[in-house]
Amino acid sequence: MTATDSPAYPSFPEGSDAFPHRNLLGIAGLQPWEIQYLLAEAEQWVALNQQSSKHDDRLAGLTVINAFFENSTRTLLSFEIAGKRLGADVVNMHAAQSSIKKGETLIDTAMTLNAMRADAIVIRHGSSGAVQLIADKVDCPVLNAGDGSHEHPTQALLDALTIRRRKGEIGGLKIAICGDILHSRVARSNIICLTTLGAEVRVVGPPSLMPNAIEAMQVTAFTDFDAALDGVDVVMMLRLQNERMQGQFIPSTREYRRLYGLTEERLTRAAPDALVMHPGPMNRGVEIDSNVADDPSRSSVTEQVEMGVAMRMACLDVLTRRARKVEGWS
Amino acid sequence: MSNSTSITNGRLILPDGSISENGSLSMAGDEISAINPDTAPSDALDAKGQYVAPGIIDLGVFAVDKPAFHFGGITRAAVMPDQNPPLDHPARVRFVAQSGKPDFWVHPLGGATRELAGSEMAELALMQDAGARGVATGRGWIADSGTMLRLMQYCAALDLPLFVHSEDEGLTGKAVATDGEMALRLGLPSAPAEAEAISIARDIALVRLSGAHLHFRQVTTRAGLDLIRAAKAEGLSVTCGITPAHFMLSDVALGGFRTFTRLSPPLRSEDDRQACLEALADGTIDVIASGHDPRGPEDKRLPFADAEPGMAGAETLLALTLNLVRDKVLSLSDAIAKLTSNPAAILSVDAGQLAEGMEADIMVFDMDRPWVVDSAKMEAAAGNTPFDKMPVQGRVTALFKGGRQIAL
């Protein structure tokens, strides 16, 4: 599938806004047509990003602050490129090394950012709910770039965009999400996004990394990776979140690879054209083997990165429309 | 303070559970001198048909916050040892025991172990001499079963109740919520509710060995309450308490990451909440306490998992407990007993009953008076209540401590 044959804008209830939310704090609470709308919006940016000139000035004069309270390379870079390609003045705040260490509270920081009259703030934080806390205190749109083990909505949207472009439709697909479900914000956002769009989602991982209420999220839980892979259309691998673990959750990475590593042999249990995904960064030889990750016919790892920029451009564009007084966005 | 020493025209909630309509009460010195005396003095306080009950004895608060306590009808509080520095030394216990007087009495609970660290026993007998009416493990539990057994043996010998916090910290770790759909969706560190039952089961086994009186300060799960119920049926000396948050709210209240719902133990499932109501009704739960723990914005205006647990509960304790009466979970006299005579019995104090010779700690309250909880207007040192903006009914209109009326 290419941008030229991307689906038309989905229909949404008459009389409502296409995206009536001020912020993007999570996938939870988004209606199916709102997710589809963002995906459709991103398609134009995929097309732009594939041209030699990748510039659009619609956010010219606006200031986007990327406030990252937790270290990140790819997500920060992706948001930075997205903002710059739209013409915004992008400022990166590496808060993990700044005033927070001097005792300033998160709310102080939020109020400081607000006083600087940012037009959009992108936040990553190590604590669930921190982004909501800031969003409640600032006047401009806030985008969640990952908060603790809660949500990472743009990751789920870019994953959905990748799947849709590869598979045409998301509804009806069988998708397995494998790894550290307990600590993964990517898993939570993807579960909500993909089930909202009609996919059948399976989650698989060590019992110690599987939340006991997971089936309340309309998924089927497995601890046997081989059984979970049976006939799936998409295999989404997750990284072990060692930094979020307190105590020992797995006996060893060697054993983890034996039970939950995606090898070529194991992948034969999935559908013949199954798509392999990973949000990165990958622990090669632990949760995924290089010959699987690097096979462009099976793996979409680099395509996910590409879709990430387009998806974030779409989110920045849509969320700033009211401030920019775009017609129809009062 | 006014000098009224009698109350007339009230509905007196008496120790046998009956209500004396159009009753009167006289005080002499700091004691109740007569219930329904033949003649009442002319300067008596006219209760205007409102209820007259003993002042509330709040079992296990973390701060002495007199304006909030008086607003809520609380005349005595047992204060937890989790102070700065901790109440693990007789001199500190003596100092706290003398604070608050004359219009409020504080009953310190001595720290069971030095620095509340859970390893070395504190000087229990000396703290008792200094005024401790019980000892407590504080916010945490004692993981070492040997230490816990020896502690209980000492408490049994000294006839001191031991107040415990029941959560197996090996399971809870740094959890801030109970395992379940809500914690999962919010991505909050959570622990299984069974952490409570495991802790209670061990401690009941040690009560059987030691004969100590154990008071489980807050029991919040069906499994934990079933264990307490069975232990009581067995005749063991165990009592337990709860705070309104755990019988009013379930973990659904965590939505929106509202840190005023960050409590310890955390809010439980709806099934556990229903179990709490059943246990209140059948008498398994002896005491309703406020858990008063006012926390300022420095502790609460943080991401949920980083916020400190605790709520300011003194002002809402009576009104929220009266919900149980309106919902027919408890009779009015049973509800009042869980606020007054039951905690008095655990602390062995001569108060908590409208009876001759008892300390004249009296509250007069209007059962139906409506008001709205407003965290911005609370008397407490901080307004961290999960019940903000909730309409409630029931308000104290007059309060006496030791026979002297307190201006509200």
Side-chain angles (χ1 to χ4, degrees):
Chain A
M1 190 172 181
T2 66
T4 52
D5 61 358
S6 64
Y9 283 166
S11 59
F12 46 89
E14 201 172 336
S16 69
D17 287 336
F19 194 78
H21 306 276
R22 190 169 81 97
N23 305 307
L24 181 65
L25 304 182
I27 300 294
L30 297 188
Q31 299 298 322
W33 65 84
E34 292 165 354
I35 296 172
Q36 294 282 15
Y37 181 79
L38 292 175
L39 298 182
E41 283 289 306
E43 290 286 0
Q44 65 177 303
W45 303 117
V46 176
L48 180 84
N49 290 339
Q50 289 173 348
Q51 294 171 12
S52 56
S53 173
K54 304 177 179 63
H55 212 70
D56 183 288
D57 277 336
R58 66 184 61 194
L59 264 59
L62 268 56
T63 303
V64 175
I65 299 179
N66 295 325
F68 277 52
F69 297 85
E70 187 183 67
N71 289 329
S72 158
T73 303
R74 65 178 60 211
T75 306
L76 175 60
L77 196 58
S78 183
F79 268 109
E80 182 176 2
I81 291 172
K84 286 182 171 169
R85 285 189 182 165
L86 291 171
D89 298 321
V90 180
V91 180
N92 291 337
M93 176 184 160
H94 299 277
Q97 295 116 35
S98 67
S99 51
I100 292 296
K101 296 227 163 158
K102 298 172 195 159
E104 182 172 280
T105 69
L106 192 57
I107 287 182
D108 291 337
T109 308
M111 293 167 80
T112 302
L113 297 177
N114 201 41
M116 291 175 179
R117 298 204 175 273
D119 297 292
I121 303 177
V122 179
I123 297 163
R124 167 167 286 197
H125 198 283
S127 198
S128 304
V131 180
Q132 166 101 54
L133 187 69
I134 293 179
D136 291 342
K137 296 289 169 194
V138 301
D139 301 323
C140 67
V142 170
L143 288 87
N144 183 357
D147 62 329
S149 301
H150 177 220
E151 283 233 39
H152 193 351
T154 56
Q155 179 70 45
L157 291 167
L158 74 88
D159 286 342
L161 183 62
T162 307
I163 296 170
R164 202 179 70 166
R165 289 172 65 86
R166 285 281 190 122
K167 298 287 183 184
E169 277 292 330
I170 292 172
L173 292 178
K174 290 178 186 167
I175 300 173
I177 302 175
C178 177
D180 179 358
I181 307 295
L182 182 66
H183 297 103
S184 175
R185 53 199 175 202
V186 174
R188 280 170 181 73
S189 285
N190 263 306
I191 289 169
I192 300 168
C193 184
L194 297 170
T195 54
T196 301
L197 296 177
E200 175 195 322
V201 177
R202 304 171 181 183
V203 291
V204 55
S208 55
L209 292 171
M210 185 66 68
N212 66 8
I214 191 70
E215 291 186 342
M217 296 187 80
Q218 320 306 323
V219 299
T220 312
F222 292 78
T223 51
D224 180 341
F225 195 13
D226 292 327
L229 280 176
D230 186 28
V232 297
D233 302 296
V234 179
V235 187
M236 192 178 279
M237 301 303 296
L238 301 173
R239 183 174 63 87
L240 280 173
Q241 305 266 311
N242 290 314
E243 70 278 16
R244 296 195 201 291
M245 296 185 192
Q246 284 151 356
Q248 188 191 18
F249 282 79
I250 57 166
S252 71
T253 51
R254 188 173 70 158
E255 188 186 289
Y256 184 82
R257 173 185 152 70
R258 161 78 182 76
L259 295 176
Y260 300 103
L262 186 61
T263 61
E264 256 186 332
E265 183 199 355
R266 191 164 252 151
L267 188 56
T268 60
R269 295 176 181 275
D273 60 345
L275 180 65
V276 174
M277 307 181 78
H278 195 301
M282 293 182 284
N283 295 307
R284 290 171 181 266
V286 181
E287 72 261 9
I288 192 166
D289 275 9
S290 288
N291 52 5
V292 176
D294 297 340
D295 177 359
S297 67
R298 311 296 299 273
S299 163
S300 64
V301 174
T302 53
E303 191 178 339
Q304 286 170 264
V305 178
E306 181 185 355
M307 294 306 116
V309 176
M311 197 67 242
R312 284 157 184 145
M313 290 171 79
C315 293
L316 285 170
D317 172 24
V318 169
L319 287 171
T320 56
R321 283 183 191 170
R322 287 186 187 83
R324 290 187 283 124
K325 297 186 168 47
V326 173
E327 190 177 351
W329 292 73
S330 56
Chain B
M1 295 187 190
S2 93
N3 294 319
S4 290
T5 53
S6 295
I7 300 169
T8 59
N9 195 26
R11 306 171 79 184
L12 273 52
I13 301 173
L14 298 175
D16 64 1
S18 66
I19 293 175
S20 174
E21 300 288 344
N22 199 21
S24 58
L25 177 155
S26 294
M27 299 166 248
D30 56 7
E31 292 182 357
I32 297 171
S33 57
I35 300 292
N36 289 326
D38 294 335
T39 55
S42 56
D43 64 346
L45 175 83
D46 182 356
K48 299 187 174 77
Q50 298 175 85
Y51 286 98
V52 181
I56 294 172
I57 301 172
D58 197 356
L59 206 57
V61 303
F62 289 90
V64 177
D65 196 355
K66 211 187 288 186
F69 288 137
H70 284 165
F71 181 98
I74 300 164
T75 48
R76 296 171 184 238
V79 68
M80 293 292 283
D82 311 66
Q83 309 295 317
N84 187 18
L87 303 183
D88 63 349
H89 190 277
R92 292 179 200 142
V93 167
R94 183 173 290 108
F95 177 80
V96 171
Q98 290 165 351
S99 65
K101 291 181 177 178
D103 55 345
F104 190 81
W105 277 19
V106 180
H107 299 297
L109 301 174
T113 55
R114 291 179 197 275
E115 299 291 325
L116 298 173
S119 49
E120 297 174 58
M121 273 193 286
E123 294 170 316
L124 306 180
L126 295 182
M127 290 195 293
Q128 186 178 31
D129 289 346
R133 291 284 180 170
V135 293
T137 63
R139 296 179 196 276
W141 88 309
I142 292 176
D144 185 316
S145 301
T147 301
M148 192 63 175
L149 174 60
R150 291 186 284 277
L151 189 56
M152 283 198 208
Q153 288 167 331
Y154 255 84
C155 287
L158 295 169
D159 201 18
L160 269 175
L162 174 59
F163 291 60
V164 292
H165 179 93
S166 296
E167 281 187 295
D168 181 331
E169 289 173 1
L171 279 172
T172 54
K174 293 189 177 176
V176 299
T178 307
D179 277 358
E181 185 178 351
M182 203 65 196
L184 169 68
R185 287 185 182 277
L186 295 176
L188 293 173
S190 62
E194 285 74 9
E196 180 176 281
I198 289 167
S199 164
I200 291 173
R202 184 208 59 176
D203 286 348
I204 286 175
L206 296 178
V207 168
R208 224 174 261 126
L209 285 176
S210 64
H213 173 194
L214 214 60
H215 178 72
F216 297 91
R217 194 171 65 85
Q218 292 187 89
V219 183
T220 57
T221 62
R222 182 175 293 281
L225 290 162
D226 284 347
L227 287 165
I228 303 279
R229 193 177 283 117
K232 286 186 166 188
E234 189 185 330
L236 298 178
S237 179
V238 297
T239 50
C240 76
I242 195 169
T243 65
H246 287 97
F247 66 71
M248 294 284 292
L249 303 173
S250 71
D251 59 358
V252 172
L254 306 184
F257 296 102
R258 291 181 61 236
T259 55
F260 287 176
T261 61
R262 164 93 171 91
L263 304 172
S264 175
L267 292 175
R268 306 299 194 183
S269 68
E270 177 61 18
D271 179 62
D272 283 327
R273 189 182 80 88
Q274 292 298 330
C276 291
L277 295 175
E278 291 163 22
L280 280 160
D282 71 15
T284 302
I285 295 175
D286 306 273
V287 171
I288 302 173
S290 73
H292 192 65
D293 194 4
R295 297 278 188 178
E298 295 78 12
D299 289 337
K300 286 291 188 184
R301 290 175 74 193
L302 296 169
F304 194 93
D306 302 331
E308 294 290 340
M311 60 172 281
E315 286 158 76
T316 52
L317 176 60
L318 176 66
L320 296 173
T321 301
L322 291 176
N323 278 343
L324 297 171
V325 180
R326 277 184 279 271
D327 293 345
K328 303 193 186 312
V329 175
L330 292 175
S331 69
L332 178 59
S333 57
D334 282 347
I336 294 298
K338 290 180 197 300
L339 296 170
T340 58
S341 56
N342 292 359
I346 292 167
L347 293 173
S348 301
V349 293
D350 292 330
Q353 294 184 37
L354 296 189
E356 286 178 27
M358 286 284 164
E359 184 85 5
D361 299 349
I362 314 285
M363 68 170 168
V364 181
F365 65 94
D366 181 343
M367 172 98 181
D368 300 319
R369 181 164 163 191
W371 57 288
V372 176
V373 180
D374 185 343
S375 63
K377 295 180 182 171
M378 291 176 80
E379 299 284 339
N384 52 310
T385 171
F387 302 103
D388 192 25
K389 305 294 183 286
M390 177 187 275
V392 293
Q393 276 179 278
R395 183 91 168 244
V396 173
T397 58
L399 188 67
F400 292 80
K401 174 73 195 91
R404 300 186 68 186
Q405 190 172 0
I406 295 161
L408 294 178

